Amino acid sequence: MRKLLLAVAAAAILVMPTVVEAQSPIVIKFSHVVANDTPKGKGALKFKELAEKYTDGKVKVEIYPNSTLYKDKEEIEALQLGSVHMLAPSTAKFAPLGIKEFEALDLPWLFKDDQTYSNAMKGTIGKWLFDKLETKGITGLAYWDNGFHMLSANRALMKPADFQGLKFRISGSKVADQYLRIMGSIPQIMAFSEVYQALQTGVVDGCENTASNYLTQKFYEVQKDITVSYHAHLQYAVIVNSKFWSGLPPDIRAQLEKAMNEATDYTNQIAHQENEDALAEIKKTGKTTLHYLTDADRKAWQEAMQPTYKWAKGRVGQEVLDLVAKELDVKMN
């Protein structure tokens, strides 16, 4: 009898972790580099809310904003290693993986407006690019809009000549590097979390980003002039570790996909307004001067940056350029 009780107790010990594990929520670590009060930050929080709601608490999403878990230079490798499960990097971050085609999205003056961007990413272009990630153990879930870039410095940037000799922080896109070099400036790759101090100390003279990021990261405090140029678009790809994603129970994955689709619609709907509101807030502070390009100024920028399209063929390849040209009805040369 004693042996039987010991055997039952031993079996219970072996079973108990499985029972506890089955009752524990699946944790998804979602890391990003911007503030919660931005389109991407709000999108991540919306996904958390909906994911936990639709799975009835079977999933717990932990959000790590503002590079608190990983900096933007480190996060994709962490995703591949399984140290974090979900990210939303700018699409320029995929080139180091050998997938340079994403940089076609960084071409200047490519998207006419937010709707044009949205249609492209929901269609052939978006799917084609996500298919490229699968070979790297990454699954693309959605594209999140963050609007159009502005450029700043401690001088007004109105003519191409105004860029001469200035050092600009860029996120890593070689396309952005090229069009800024064409304008006579010196681009420098730098982690997002380091930008404010670099601007404050003069390590770089300026940067490009969206209005919501200028506001929430307080870049406007250390830049006397911002040109509301909207010369290029900033988009994020919400990605997940493929092994982790495919290993989820099918019903849980379906609920998370529903949550992601709704969070994406929410994020893309608020992005434009968030940037408009941020621009108004920046103006209200009086700490920086906002400059707007005239039609003649814009044309001069477009003509100056146009050689980037021809150069891009050797960087991103003809196939993606042909696809983008067809979908967006733009000339590549």
Side-chain angles (χ1 to χ4, degrees), residues 2 33 68 93 99 105 120 178 234 271 282 286 290-291 315 317:
R2 185 169 178 272
V33 301
T68 51
K93 298 298 181 186
I99 309 173
L105 302 177
Q178 182 67 13
L234 176 58
I282 291 170
L290 298 178
H291 304 275
R315 173 67 181 177

Side-chain angles (χ1 to χ4, degrees), residues 189-200:
I189 297 171
M190 183 178 294
F192 188 68
S193 58
E194 299 169 6
V195 178
Y196 183 93
Q197 186 175 7
L199 292 169
Q200 186 181 43

Side-chain angles (χ1 to χ4, degrees), residues 1-7:
M1 186 66 180
R2 185 169 178 272
K3 287 182 179 179
L4 178 62
L5 288 172
L6 287 172

Side-chain angles (χ1 to χ4, degrees), residues 185-314:
S185 61
I186 307 162
Q188 296 190 8
I189 297 171
M190 183 178 294
F192 188 68
S193 58
E194 299 169 6
V195 178
Y196 183 93
Q197 186 175 7
L199 292 169
Q200 186 181 43
T201 57
V203 171
V204 292
D205 301 302
C207 67
E208 68 169 4
N209 225 296
T210 60
S212 61
N213 283 340
Y214 270 102
L215 177 68
T216 57
Q217 299 296 322
K218 300 184 178 181
F219 295 157
Y220 68 89
E221 292 183 346
V222 286
Q223 296 279 264
K224 293 179 182 177
D225 299 275
I226 297 175
T227 301
V228 186
S229 51
Y230 295 159
H231 59 284
H233 195 272
L234 176 58
Q235 58 282 321
Y236 304 118
V238 186
I239 56 176
V240 66
N241 178 289
S242 296
K243 187 176 180 181
F244 170 78
W245 189 248
S246 62
L248 292 171
D251 60 324
I252 293 290
R253 192 164 58 245
Q255 291 159 344
L256 292 176
E257 285 172 350
K258 180 184 178 184
M260 180 56 67
N261 289 338
E262 291 185 21
T264 297
D265 288 341
Y266 165 80
T267 306
N268 292 345
Q269 284 169 7
I270 68 168
H272 178 75
Q273 192 59 51
E274 288 281 318
N275 281 308
E276 288 297 309
D277 292 346
L279 208 54
E281 282 296 313
I282 291 170
K283 186 175 182 180
K284 196 186 297 183
T285 68
K287 292 186 176 182
T288 188
T289 302
L290 298 178
H291 304 275
Y292 293 82
L293 300 176
T294 64
D295 289 344
D297 292 332
R298 188 175 295 102
K299 185 178 180 182
W301 282 42
Q302 289 171 339
E303 289 178 352
M305 293 179 175
Q306 184 61 30
T308 308
Y309 281 70
K310 186 175 182 180
W311 171 90
K313 179 181 177 181

Side-chain angles (χ1 to χ4, degrees), residues 14-280:
L14 290 172
V15 170
M16 274 178 64
T18 306
V19 173
V20 172
E21 188 177 334
Q23 293 173 344
S24 300
I26 298 167
V27 175
I28 297 178
K29 292 184 178 181
F30 190 159
S31 173
H32 64 80
V33 301
V34 300
N36 280 328
D37 193 22
T38 59
K40 177 161 67 173
K42 290 183 177 181
L45 291 171
K46 177 61 71 173
F47 172 70
K48 170 183 169 66
E49 172 196 329
L50 295 174
E52 293 176 356
K53 174 185 173 183
Y54 292 153
T55 62
D56 197 25
K58 292 176 184 174
V59 168
K60 180 185 178 185
V61 181
E62 297 177 353
I63 306 293
Y64 298 90
N66 272 327
S67 306
T68 51
L69 199 58
Y70 295 103
K71 292 183 179 181
D72 47 4
K73 292 179 180 178
E74 309 161 344
E75 59 181 12
I76 291 181
E77 183 180 3
L79 182 83
Q80 290 178 301
L81 292 172
S83 302
V84 65
H85 308 107
M86 193 173 288
L87 305 172
S90 65
T91 53
K93 298 298 181 186
F94 298 122
L97 291 177
I99 309 173
K100 300 174 183 177
E101 290 89 345
F102 275 91
E103 288 187 357
L105 302 177
D106 300 327
L107 284 165
W109 316 101
L110 183 64
F111 300 109
K112 296 174 184 175
D113 50 38
D114 286 308
Q115 192 58 52
T116 303
Y117 155 78
S118 180
N119 292 342
M121 303 322 290
K122 286 179 180 177
T124 307
I125 295 171
K127 185 180 184 306
W128 188 88
L129 288 170
F130 270 165
D131 287 346
K132 297 283 182 183
L133 291 176
E134 291 292 341
T135 60
K136 306 297 180 181
I138 296 171
T139 297
L141 299 180
Y143 292 98
W144 285 1
D145 186 358
N146 196 18
F148 288 87
H149 277 304
M150 309 188 300
L151 274 159
S152 66
N154 289 317
R155 70 164 84 152
L157 302 169
M158 301 301 293
K159 313 289 183 187
D162 297 331
F163 286 73
Q164 198 65 38
L166 294 181
K167 293 174 288 185
F168 284 95
R169 179 267 175 182
I170 61 170
S171 63
S173 170
K174 290 296 183 181
V175 169
D177 179 280
Q178 182 67 13
Y179 64 65
L180 286 172
R181 286 187 188 279
I182 287 172
M183 299 288 269
S185 61
I186 307 162
Q188 296 190 8
I189 297 171
M190 183 178 294
F192 188 68
S193 58
E194 299 169 6
V195 178
Y196 183 93
Q197 186 175 7
L199 292 169
Q200 186 181 43
T201 57
V203 171
V204 292
D205 301 302
C207 67
E208 68 169 4
N209 225 296
T210 60
S212 61
N213 283 340
Y214 270 102
L215 177 68
T216 57
Q217 299 296 322
K218 300 184 178 181
F219 295 157
Y220 68 89
E221 292 183 346
V222 286
Q223 296 279 264
K224 293 179 182 177
D225 299 275
I226 297 175
T227 301
V228 186
S229 51
Y230 295 159
H231 59 284
H233 195 272
L234 176 58
Q235 58 282 321
Y236 304 118
V238 186
I239 56 176
V240 66
N241 178 289
S242 296
K243 187 176 180 181
F244 170 78
W245 189 248
S246 62
L248 292 171
D251 60 324
I252 293 290
R253 192 164 58 245
Q255 291 159 344
L256 292 176
E257 285 172 350
K258 180 184 178 184
M260 180 56 67
N261 289 338
E262 291 185 21
T264 297
D265 288 341
Y266 165 80
T267 306
N268 292 345
Q269 284 169 7
I270 68 168
H272 178 75
Q273 192 59 51
E274 288 281 318
N275 281 308
E276 288 297 309
D277 292 346
L279 208 54

